[in-house]
């Protein structure tokens, strides 16, 4: 019996005996092995966007549970930011949530404070709209004086034998310059305005442009602003708007440099003629906006013809005979908001592509002044994409190039052979924030995660709640660029093996529309943030 016991013991214990493991340690070890086997990433931090980790979007019930009876967040917005970053926002509460993500409302504000802020911002927006009308009136008067002066010069030239009649219509040097290179940028979609269209219709556009200046439709709220008393009131309101406590401006180093916020439209030598040019391009882009948003906003799609016509008349919108009432109403709102932004930020004014960024916001926000301030919050980061010198967008392309180089040197070297290492083939992705590559719903999900990152950084949540957010992806101010780099890296094999020119890569990027998985992109982007961010 003893021999049997010894043989059993010797066969079950190895020659180099090890300490006996307690049941609790064995259980803990099995959990660690299971966790490592199911971990989606090799890094120590887990992505909040993986299928295993990602939960449902921020729901209506969860949203209201985050708020105290006075409307403040219980924890300063930490759980709110974490929830949006991991799953986005439910469509039913986007109109309530987006102003927080875009800096319209402070995360520490109460319901009463937000009510006051909303009233102030409505007045600011109405002041900007009246300023739009004043600029058009000035342009109208200036155009009439120009015509009178030209007629006078033509008559006086009869008495000078050495002079010839001056024909304004035939002198290209005196025509108003309606389009510059930035407006001719082709966004390569089914409703964009192509270069051939511009070149064949340029003379028609210029003639129509002059006709518009002599027959400007008054806005509904600007019909009584012709008197000096009303004009003075408008100027006072605009100056008052600049002194209102605005968290989106006071705490933002970029927006504090925009002169129009302080009521000075001429800081960048902008003129009423510049504004009239912007207005013309805005109307063209608004009418040609796609109808992808219709299924996401049945209320807007059901707008009556009477309401649509009234909105179009209030902004002087024309040439919409082929559009449905919902599209006319959408286009009129787009004109109103974009014109107001051109006055709000005269350094940027309006450039083609901005209408793509505004369209999702108009679908979500029912009031124009709410849509305007959300758009201004979006443009806080995106305005660098529309600078005339293109320094902002070139800097971002350089970052995408560095990300690819650090992550995949083989792919980068292939791009060098094709003279595409500057990553200009993702120009449209950067400009329109992947709006053309993702579906409408995917776009809003991606933007919400991006805005949550920016809100976390803007509000200092990243620092104050570092330990609580330790197991989540660290907020990145350039998450869009990491997402774009992820798009290219997902197609590295195709690019290396099949493509031998940058034109082919551009075509591949343009064909991405509707084929991307936004949450997989965010997961890959998070991996890039963890592994590459410190190197670049």
């Amino acid at each position: 019996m003893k021999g049997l016991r010894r043989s059993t013991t010797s066969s079950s214990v190895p020659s180099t005996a090890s300490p006996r493991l307690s049941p609790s340690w064995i259980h803990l070890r099995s959990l660690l092995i299971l966790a490592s086997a199911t971990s989606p990433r090799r890094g120590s931090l887990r992505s909040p966007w993986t299928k295993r980790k990602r939960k449902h979007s921020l729901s209506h019930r969860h949203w209201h549970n985050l708020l105290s009876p006075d409307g403040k967040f219980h924890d300063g917005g930490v759980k709110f930011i974490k929830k949006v970053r991991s799953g986005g926002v439910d469509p039913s509460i986007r109109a309530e949530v987006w102003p927080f993500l875009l800096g319209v409302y402070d995360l520490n504000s109460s319901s009463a404070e937000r009510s006051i802020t909303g009233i102030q911002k409505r007045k600011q927006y109405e002041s900007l709209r009246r300023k739009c009308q004043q600029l058009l009136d000035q342009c109208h008067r200036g155009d009439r004086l120009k015509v009178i002066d030209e007629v006078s010069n033509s008559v006086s030239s009869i008495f000078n034998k050495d002079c010839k009649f001056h024909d304004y219509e035939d002198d290209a040097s005196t025509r108003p310059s309606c389009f510059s290179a930035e407006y001719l940028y082709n966004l390569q979609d089914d409703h964009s305005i192509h270069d051939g269209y511009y070149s064949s219709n340029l003379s028609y556009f210029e003639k129509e442009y002059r006709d518009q200046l002599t027959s400007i439709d008054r806005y509904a709220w600007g019909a009584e602003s012709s008197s000096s008393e009303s004009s003075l009131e408008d100027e006072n309101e605009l100056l008052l708007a600049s002194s209102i406590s605005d968290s989106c401006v006071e705490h933002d180093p970029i927006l504090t440099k925009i002169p129009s916020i302080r009521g000075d439209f001429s800081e960048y030598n902008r003129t009423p003629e510049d504004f009239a040019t912007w207005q013309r391009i805005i109307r063209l882009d608004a009418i040609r906006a796609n109808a992808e948003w219709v299924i996401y906003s049945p209320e807007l799609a059901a707008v009556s013809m009477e309401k649509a016509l009234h909105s179009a008349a209030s902004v002087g919108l024309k040439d919409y005979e082929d559009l449905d009432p919902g599209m006319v109403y959408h286009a009129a709102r787009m004109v109103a908001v974009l014109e107001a932004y051109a006055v709000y930020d005269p350094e940027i004014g309006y450039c083609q592509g901005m209408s793509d960024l505004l369209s999702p916001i108009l679908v979500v926000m029912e009031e124009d002044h709410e849509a305007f301030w959300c758009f201004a919050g979006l443009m806080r980061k995106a305005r660098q994409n529309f600078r005339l010198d293109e320094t902002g967008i070139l800097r971002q392309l350089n970052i995408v190039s560095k990300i690819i180089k650090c992550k995949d040197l083989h792919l980068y070297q292939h791009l060098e052979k094709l003279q595409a290492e500057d990553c200009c083939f993702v120009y449209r992705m950067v400009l329109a924030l992947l709006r053309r590559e993702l579906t409408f719903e995917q776009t809003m999900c991606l933007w919400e995660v991006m805005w949550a990152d920016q809100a976390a950084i803007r509000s200092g949540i990243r620092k104050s709640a570092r330990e609580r957010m330790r197991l989540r992806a660290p907020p990145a101010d350039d998450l869009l660029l990491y997402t774009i780099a992820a798009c290219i890296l997902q197609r590295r094999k195709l690019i290396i093996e099949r493509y031998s020119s940058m034109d082919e890569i551009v075509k591949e990027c343009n064909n991405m529309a509707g084929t991307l998985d936004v949450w997989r992109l965010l997961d890959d982007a998070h991996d890039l943030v963890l592994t590459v961010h410190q190197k670049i």
Side-chain angles (χ1 to χ4, degrees):
M1 193 70 177
K2 292 182 180 179
L4 178 62
R5 192 175 299 167
R6 283 195 299 269
S7 63
T8 304
T9 304
S10 61
S11 62
S12 60
V13 179
S15 57
T16 54
S18 60
R20 179 173 298 178
L21 300 177
S22 63
S24 60
W25 166 248
I26 295 175
H27 176 67
L28 178 60
R29 184 178 63 179
S30 63
L31 290 178
L32 292 174
I33 294 174
L34 178 63
S36 61
T38 59
S39 179
R41 288 292 165 192
R42 59 180 176 276
S44 59
L45 299 182
R46 296 175 182 173
S47 168
W49 305 302
T50 59
K51 291 182 179 180
R52 184 186 66 82
K53 192 70 178 177
R54 182 170 65 88
K55 299 180 181 180
H56 298 292
S57 60
L58 178 65
S59 64
H60 183 276
R61 181 184 61 82
H62 194 179
W63 163 247
H64 287 284
N65 288 339
L66 295 174
L67 301 174
S68 62
D70 63 349
K72 285 189 175 182
F73 287 106
H74 293 291
D75 58 355
V78 176
K79 291 182 180 179
F80 162 64
I81 294 297
K82 291 172 66 176
K83 185 64 177 178
V84 176
R85 293 183 71 238
S86 64
V89 180
D90 187 86
S92 63
I93 58 172
R94 277 175 172 153
E96 299 179 60
V97 174
W98 281 15
F100 289 92
L101 296 176
L102 291 168
V104 181
Y105 297 139
D106 190 272
L107 290 177
N108 295 315
S109 62
S110 64
S111 297
E113 292 170 340
R114 292 194 293 271
S115 178
I116 296 174
T117 300
I119 295 173
Q120 293 173 342
K121 289 187 175 298
R122 178 189 288 272
K123 292 182 178 179
Q124 285 180 273
Y125 174 73
E126 291 174 352
S127 295
L128 290 169
R129 291 298 303 143
R130 284 192 286 269
K131 184 66 175 179
C132 293
Q133 179 60 42
Q134 293 173 14
L135 289 169
L136 289 176
D137 287 343
Q138 293 176 26
C139 188
H140 184 197
R141 290 193 297 269
D143 186 70
R144 291 179 61 184
L145 292 175
K146 183 189 296 183
V147 172
I148 294 174
D149 184 61
E150 289 171 354
V151 172
S152 176
N153 290 337
S154 298
V155 173
S156 63
S157 65
I158 298 176
F159 303 98
N160 189 342
K161 295 181 179 179
D162 296 331
C163 294
K164 297 182 179 179
F165 283 97
H166 179 79
D167 190 349
Y168 178 78
E169 294 288 336
D170 296 333
D171 189 351
S173 64
T174 60
R175 293 176 182 171
S177 177
C178 298
F179 303 96
S180 59
E182 59 174 313
Y183 298 132
L184 300 180
Y185 172 68
N186 182 4
L187 292 176
Q188 297 177 345
D189 65 291
D190 57 343
H191 70 277
S192 63
I193 308 172
H194 298 278
D195 292 346
Y197 180 83
Y198 275 114
S199 61
S200 62
N201 293 277
L202 187 58
S203 60
Y204 167 76
F205 285 152
E206 293 179 346
K207 181 179 183 300
E208 187 185 41
Y209 171 83
R210 289 193 297 274
D211 294 339
Q212 284 185 359
L213 297 182
T214 59
S215 59
I216 297 175
D217 292 279
R218 286 193 174 276
Y219 297 103
W221 46 72
E224 299 177 2
S225 63
S226 58
S227 65
S228 58
E229 180 180 357
S230 178
S231 298
L232 180 61
E233 180 182 353
D234 295 339
E235 293 296 334
N236 290 337
E237 282 198 23
L238 194 60
L239 292 175
L240 175 63
S242 67
S243 63
I244 292 177
S245 177
D246 186 350
S247 60
C248 183
V249 174
E250 290 180 350
H251 304 293
D252 195 292
I254 296 178
L255 291 187
T256 53
K257 298 179 181 179
I258 300 178
S260 64
I261 298 178
R262 306 304 173 194
D264 188 0
F265 184 73
S266 61
E267 178 72 17
Y268 290 100
N269 298 320
R270 298 299 191 183
T271 65
E273 288 75 15
D274 292 325
F275 179 79
T277 299
W278 295 333
Q279 185 204 48
R280 238 204 76 62
I281 311 303
I282 289 171
R283 292 182 181 184
L284 290 173
D285 288 349
I287 291 175
R288 289 166 173 81
N290 63 44
E292 187 183 4
W293 57 266
V294 173
I295 60 175
Y296 299 98
S297 182
E299 296 83 5
L300 287 178
V303 169
S304 65
M305 178 60 75
E306 181 181 359
K307 184 176 182 180
L309 294 178
H310 180 270
S311 299
S314 69
V315 296
L317 185 64
K318 301 178 181 179
D319 301 327
Y320 51 79
E321 290 78 8
D322 297 332
L323 300 181
D324 295 332
M327 288 298 298
V328 175
Y329 183 72
H330 183 77
R333 294 187 66 201
M334 184 174 289
V335 170
V337 172
L338 291 175
E339 286 181 356
Y341 186 81
V343 176
Y344 178 78
D345 186 0
E347 182 186 12
I348 302 300
Y350 176 77
C351 298
Q352 202 173 35
M354 290 168 61
S355 58
D356 291 306
L357 306 185
L358 175 60
S359 187
I361 295 177
L362 288 177
V363 172
V364 172
M365 311 305 296
E366 295 183 0
E367 297 291 336
D368 285 1
H369 74 280
E370 295 175 343
F372 170 81
W373 288 111
C374 285
F375 180 68
L378 169 61
M379 288 296 293
R380 180 193 302 111
K381 180 71 175 177
R383 68 187 297 271
Q384 60 183 325
N385 296 348
F386 301 97
R387 301 181 67 93
L388 291 177
D389 56 10
E390 296 189 333
T391 54
I393 201 165
L394 291 177
R395 181 192 67 82
Q396 295 177 86
L397 293 177
N398 185 46
I399 293 177
V400 174
S401 176
K402 288 182 178 179
I403 295 173
I404 294 175
K405 183 177 182 180
C406 292
K407 184 65 176 180
D408 194 329
L409 185 59
H410 186 199
L411 174 60
Y412 181 82
Q413 290 173 343
H414 180 71
L415 294 177
E416 280 187 317
K417 294 179 182 178
L418 306 183
Q419 297 183 345
E421 72 277 8
D422 55 4
C423 291
C424 286
F425 51 87
V426 300
Y427 187 98
R428 188 182 72 175
M429 295 183 183
V430 176
L431 181 72
L433 311 185
L434 282 171
R435 172 67 187 85
R436 300 298 177 84
E437 287 68 35
L438 299 173
T439 65
F440 206 81
E441 182 63 28
Q442 286 178 331
T443 298
M444 290 190 278
C445 291
L446 172 64
W447 288 4
E448 286 164 352
V449 174
M450 288 168 43
W451 297 341
D453 268 21
Q454 295 166 12
I457 296 172
R458 187 170 61 247
S459 303
I461 292 178
R462 175 174 58 175
K463 298 179 181 179
S464 62
R466 182 178 300 171
E467 291 302 319
R468 283 176 289 179
M469 299 181 72
R470 183 172 56 83
L471 297 179
R472 294 295 187 92
D477 199 36
D478 291 325
L479 181 61
L480 171 74
L481 305 182
Y482 289 92
T483 306
I484 292 174
C487 288
I488 305 305
L489 291 168
Q490 286 181 0
R491 286 161 170 75
R492 66 174 305 276
K493 183 177 181 180
L494 187 66
I495 293 174
I496 293 176
E497 294 180 355
R498 296 189 183 182
Y499 297 152
S500 57
S501 69
M502 189 172 70
D503 291 341
E504 293 177 330
I505 302 178
V506 171
K507 185 177 180 180
E508 173 64 26
C509 292
N510 293 337
N511 291 334
M512 288 182 182
T515 66
L516 300 174
D517 182 343
V518 65
W519 297 110
R520 182 189 170 195
L521 277 178
L522 285 169
D523 194 29
D524 290 347
H526 166 252
D527 180 61
L528 291 174
V529 172
L530 293 178
T531 58
V532 177
H533 181 68
Q534 297 298 330
K535 298 179 181 179
I536 66 172

